[in-house]
Amino acid sequence: MKKKVAVLFGGCSEEHDVSIKSAKEIWKYIDTEKYDPVYIGISRSGEWKLCEKPTADWDEKTTQRVILSTNKQDKGMLVLKDGTYELVPLDVVFPMIHGKMGEDGTIQGLLEATGIPYVGCGIPASVLCMDKSMTYLTVSNHGFRAPGFKILHDGENADASALKYPVFVKPARSGSSFGVTKVSKPEDLQAAVDVAREFDKKVLIEEAISGMEVGCAVMGNGDDLKVGEVDQITLSHGIFRIHQEDHPEEGSENAVFTVPANLPVEKRKEIQETAKAMYKVLGCKDLSRVDMFLQEDGTIVLNEVNTMPGFTSYSRYPRMMLATGMTFTELVDHCIEMALQEGK
């Protein structure tokens, strides 16, 4: 009997559109011989609606309201029909939602209340990895290298003259480079802080790390972990912002991806082992993407950890896993099967 899989997408964060693109790839590749998928879109204002499939204009095509049952005796979704809610049982949820209200423990808390197995990290790891300052402190306390930083809470201002430039100013709890600015001189600092505060009241002023941008896709639980091929990002200018570009499906405006990274096998292996170790230290499960810098002296420095990485046609996580020989359908299948096993 097919397992009923609810794919959540959209959401209230700045990564709403990226989430739709990720869900579209799941719709395209999920094994419908094995799974019976249903798609639940969450509008920017927080309205949950059942839809036929993820599209850019999904919200305009459906009025079918839906909520998840938080009664663990009735595991499923409640679909509004003729003024009453009908319970539709669910076997597993795939919350393909990025950023705030998706990767920050919020949706994970709801899913824990439902009792329905779900793909991805649990509440603690989601909270920890969403806040870059907490991520850095955790990995640093376990002997890994992370950027130095200062925190600005709401209403606080930085002493621009006391910083060593360049620095990066970024929202503490956001993704896909939204609100991130490289600041090279003191007089530009406040404007960058203002931009970051459009996305989060908590702002990081972070040391600039020189080095190659590399990443590693990690999948699994406990000591049973798989890793993708290490990737390498080469920038022609600026910072990596592919999800904010107009036509990322056609290639990045300023970034070139190399998979596997143009590094000796031994160094790629070290990056993979470091990514797995950080994944375990942070309490991640099922899947996460660990982004790092490789400095000229060989030091590996954490950049960030994405607990629900993008699954778009141009996203790094699937590209790294597919480079090992896995198909996209197998990738989706592994994610769902891990959640189902955990739910037993």
Side-chain angles (χ1 to χ4, degrees), residues 210-343:
S210 60
M212 177 190 300
E213 291 192 47
V214 295
C216 184
V218 185
M219 170 181 283
N221 296 298
D223 292 324
D224 184 18
L225 299 179
K226 298 182 177 68
V227 288
E229 291 285 359
V230 173
D231 79 347
Q232 171 185 345
I233 300 175
T234 305
L235 296 173
S236 60
H237 61 278
I239 63 176
F240 183 59
R241 297 182 183 273
I242 192 167
H243 289 299
Q244 298 172 58
E245 296 177 5
D246 292 332
H247 304 288
E249 292 85 358
E250 299 173 11
S252 174
E253 298 167 2
N254 70 337
V256 175
F257 301 92
T258 306
V259 186
N262 186 24
L263 293 167
V265 173
E266 295 79 10
K267 181 55 70 172
R268 297 204 306 268
K269 179 69 172 177
E270 181 185 352
I271 291 169
Q272 290 172 326
E273 291 302 315
T274 302
K276 288 196 292 184
M278 290 182 179
Y279 181 97
K280 292 172 70 174
V281 159
L282 292 164
C284 298
K285 70 179 184 69
D286 291 358
L287 76 162
S288 290
R289 194 187 75 233
V290 183
D291 298 342
M292 295 157 281
F293 296 103
L294 177 63
Q295 298 187 293
E296 285 190 10
D297 65 0
T299 302
I300 298 169
V301 184
L302 177 65
N303 181 10
E304 65 176 351
V305 178
N306 289 268
T307 54
M308 186 51 73
F311 269 45
T312 71
S313 61
Y314 53 87
S315 287
R316 297 170 67 189
Y317 189 94
R319 181 186 285 121
M320 287 188 275
M321 295 307 295
L322 269 57
T324 67
M326 183 181 291
T327 67
F328 210 119
T329 296
E330 289 171 339
L331 173 59
V332 173
D333 182 65
H334 284 319
C335 289
I336 296 170
E337 282 296 329
M338 283 187 294
L340 288 169
Q341 287 297 320
E342 292 159 27

Side-chain angles (χ1 to χ4, degrees), residues 80-114:
L80 183 62
K81 291 183 178 180
D82 301 322
T84 61
Y85 280 101
E86 174 187 338
L87 177 67
V88 178
L90 296 174
D91 294 298
V92 64
V93 175
F94 200 140
M96 186 45 73
I97 304 175
H98 310 305
K100 291 190 290 289
M101 306 292 285
E103 286 181 83
D104 60 0
T106 305
I107 199 75
Q108 289 75 21
L110 171 62
L111 293 171
E112 290 286 349
T114 69

Side-chain angles (χ1 to χ4, degrees), residues 23-250:
K24 285 172 68 176
E25 294 302 299
I26 293 177
W27 172 83
K28 183 176 179 180
Y29 289 105
I30 191 169
D31 184 355
T32 54
E33 294 295 317
K34 186 174 182 179
Y35 303 111
D36 180 15
V38 294
Y39 297 91
I40 301 174
I42 305 174
S43 72
R44 296 179 190 276
S45 62
E47 186 177 7
W48 293 47
K49 293 190 285 187
L50 197 61
C51 63
E52 182 180 350
K53 66 178 183 177
T55 60
D57 59 349
W58 72 271
D59 198 11
E60 302 169 11
K61 295 181 176 180
T62 178
T63 59
Q64 189 75 71
R65 295 176 63 185
V66 62
I67 59 175
L68 295 183
S69 168
T70 53
N71 186 334
K72 292 188 177 182
Q73 302 306 310
D74 297 309
K75 296 180 181 180
M77 60 181 180
L78 299 168
V79 182
L80 183 62
K81 291 183 178 180
D82 301 322
T84 61
Y85 280 101
E86 174 187 338
L87 177 67
V88 178
L90 296 174
D91 294 298
V92 64
V93 175
F94 200 140
M96 186 45 73
I97 304 175
H98 310 305
K100 291 190 290 289
M101 306 292 285
E103 286 181 83
D104 60 0
T106 305
I107 199 75
Q108 289 75 21
L110 171 62
L111 293 171
E112 290 286 349
T114 69
I116 306 169
Y118 62 94
V119 175
C121 291
I123 299 170
S126 299
V127 173
L128 192 58
C129 294
M130 188 67 184
D131 188 323
K132 296 177 181 65
S133 65
M134 293 171 64
T135 311
Y136 294 165
L137 289 171
T138 302
V139 300
S140 296
N141 285 339
H142 284 81
F144 300 101
R145 176 86 162 83
F149 65 91
K150 296 180 182 296
I151 298 173
L152 289 184
H153 293 288
D154 192 23
E156 292 183 338
N157 293 313
D159 181 358
S161 64
L163 299 173
K164 181 180 179 181
Y165 294 87
V167 295
F168 282 93
V169 178
K170 57 181 65 174
R173 299 161 295 199
S174 185
S176 297
S177 298
F178 286 96
V180 177
T181 306
K182 184 177 182 179
V183 179
S184 300
K185 51 186 186 294
E187 53 266 37
D188 294 338
L189 182 67
Q190 189 56 51
V193 170
D194 292 341
V195 169
R197 281 187 169 142
E198 293 177 13
F199 298 92
D200 193 0
K201 292 180 179 180
K202 183 178 181 180
V203 172
L204 290 190
I205 301 176
E206 187 179 299
E207 72 167 317
I209 302 294
S210 60
M212 177 190 300
E213 291 192 47
V214 295
C216 184
V218 185
M219 170 181 283
N221 296 298
D223 292 324
D224 184 18
L225 299 179
K226 298 182 177 68
V227 288
E229 291 285 359
V230 173
D231 79 347
Q232 171 185 345
I233 300 175
T234 305
L235 296 173
S236 60
H237 61 278
I239 63 176
F240 183 59
R241 297 182 183 273
I242 192 167
H243 289 299
Q244 298 172 58
E245 296 177 5
D246 292 332
H247 304 288
E249 292 85 358
E250 299 173 11

